[in-house]
Amino acid sequence: MTTRIDISQLEPKAFQTMLGLEGYLGETDLTPTIKELIKLKASMINKCAYCIQMHSEQARKNGETEQRIYALPAWQESPLFSDEEKAVLALTEEVTHISVAGVSDATYERCIELFGEQKVAQLIMQVVTINAWNRIALATKLVYEQS
């Protein structure tokens, strides 16, 4: 597989804007574990190998276990994830598949109950941002070079 255009070179302002979102997300109250779970789950749904590789590597550096990474596709059935993480993963799935049924009231209300409005706004922005990165990586056929 060969890569296609390099958006960072062709449209640096657009790329810098995406990096600005990453800067914002770096300042949120979301834990590194939650951020990487969101990034991994959305990337798995979107079948973005580049982002799966990048974020599984980063998750392990942050202390995530291989067992939880492997269990992520079956998070609903796994005892390895907390109630909070399961709420975030449900939100991640529903926002990533937004055209199917939107975000259910049950998922939204559970997230508000557990995290409050401010943090739910941050969670949604994290999901939206990784979905944008997935689409960039998939459209341009980026290949991840392991560090």
Side-chain angles (χ1 to χ4, degrees), residues 31-144:
T31 66
T33 298
I34 290 292
K35 290 176 185 178
E36 293 305 323
L37 286 175
I38 290 169
K39 292 174 184 180
L40 274 169
K41 184 59 188 166
S43 298
M44 288 174 179
I45 292 167
N46 291 322
K47 300 178 182 178
C48 182
Y50 181 93
C51 294
I52 292 168
Q53 288 176 268
M54 178 193 308
H55 296 297
S56 61
E57 183 178 301
Q58 186 60 51
R60 286 190 303 274
K61 285 180 184 175
N62 292 347
E64 189 60 81
T65 66
E66 295 288 324
Q67 187 179 21
R68 280 174 37 106
I69 292 171
Y70 300 148
L72 198 51
W75 63 267
Q76 298 96 327
E77 304 298 321
S78 176
L80 300 176
F81 301 99
S82 70
D83 288 343
E84 291 82 7
E85 290 168 334
K86 287 182 176 186
V88 167
L89 292 168
L91 182 66
T92 301
E93 284 189 359
E94 291 179 22
V95 172
T96 300
H97 290 299
I98 198 76
S99 67
V100 174
V103 174
S104 70
D105 289 341
T107 296
Y108 177 79
E109 290 165 10
R110 182 70 175 144
C111 286
I112 292 293
E113 174 187 321
L114 290 169
F115 299 105
E117 290 181 351
Q118 189 75 41
K119 200 171 266 190
V120 170
Q122 295 171 0
L123 290 167
I124 291 170
M125 288 308 301
Q126 183 69 70
V127 177
V128 167
T129 302
I130 189 55
N131 273 280
W133 283 122
N134 289 164
R135 282 150 178 76
I136 291 167
L138 287 164
T140 61
K141 294 190 175 186
L142 286 178
V143 176
Y144 185 68

